[in-house]
Amino acid sequence: MAQADAHSHGSHSHASATTNRTRLGWAIAIVATVLLVEVVGALATGSLALLADAGHMASDLIGLIVALVATVIAARPATETHSFGFQRAEVFAALFNGLLLIGVAVFVAVEGISRLVSPQEVDIPPLPLLVVAVIGLVANFGALMLLRGGAATSLNMRGAYLEVFGDLLGSVTVIVASIVILTTGFAPADAIASLVIAAMIIPRAVSLLRDVIRVLLQQTPVDTDVAQIRSHILEAEGVVDVHDVHVWAVTTGKNIFSAHVVVDQQVFEAGESGRLLDQLSSCLSSHFDVDHSTFQLEPAEHARHEEHLHP
């Protein structure tokens, strides 16, 4: 019986991590600047809408900082007590961001409903409100473009991206509300806009949390077909059967695979087990984007004695 691990590591992963940290650093600087502008604007105009949006941005700023810290932790090398390293820190950061998004959306929705049910007379100058909201829109769009490149490859970056996207939506709705108030004097437009923000944030937060839970429960990655992997392994010369197949992810894009592969006795007698292991690991790395694979090669006699708990 032969057993081996196969690793597929590229310098691109380290470069990507460095790039993501740079993106997050710039996004944090932009969001922090806009937050300061909105707080000053809210105090100057007495606008609750701007103050609420500033609170939203403050929570997002915290989320971005958590995401940045997670990328630093995730880059730490593996140790004997953390054999896969600290890459899952990014998943926990995404979990935090998802919960934070849900919390913000619920708070905004409750406040919006409260203002509609119990309207208060507040004299808000719509023009300064519009100017500050436009500044926020431009800055948030810039931060969004910075984070967009990493959102497709990292749950952590996706969480950060959604944080800034929520800010962008907030700026858009404040602009719409300020224009409505400016042209019609309809003050409840602000509360209605806040409900629109909450309605757009929640589905994205739920989607992020669903992906986080999938990783934490070690479910098969969405884009991985276990039946197809099994079929590829069975096509290899000398392979008789494959069982105890497991595929999961440490974090986004870091898929792990393990399986027991039953091989013909002649493979062992001819000293071909090493060649077969190289062939199988190369197949999974190139065709299925598996970062780390472990195969246990075993003769049919041994396989018959095993209890196949996992088909």
Side-chain angles (χ1 to χ4, degrees), residues 229-262:
I229 292 178
R230 193 191 303 271
S231 176
H232 270 250
I233 294 174
L234 288 172
E235 289 175 359
E237 184 180 355
V239 174
V240 177
D241 191 18
V242 57
H243 61 92
D244 287 336
V245 176
H246 302 281
V247 189
W248 71 99
V250 174
T251 186
T252 309
K254 298 291 182 180
N255 295 341
I256 311 297
F257 175 89
S258 69
H260 289 205
V261 181
V262 182

Side-chain angles (χ1 to χ4, degrees), residues 20 25 37 45 69 94 125 145 189 283 298:
N20 285 343
V37 171
T45 64
V69 171
M145 291 300 99
C283 174
E298 53 192 36

Side-chain angles (χ1 to χ4, degrees), residues 2 6 29 50 105 112 122 124 142 152 156 159 162-163 173 179 207 219 241-242 252 274:
L50 268 184
V122 181
I124 302 174
N156 182 39
L162 290 177
E163 295 276 7
T173 52
I179 292 175
S207 175
Q219 292 178 274
D241 191 18
V242 57
T252 309

Side-chain angles (χ1 to χ4, degrees), residues 9 20 45 66 74 107 129 177 218 262 303:
H9 297 289
N20 285 343
T45 64
V66 169
F107 173 78
L129 181 64
Q218 295 186 314
V262 182

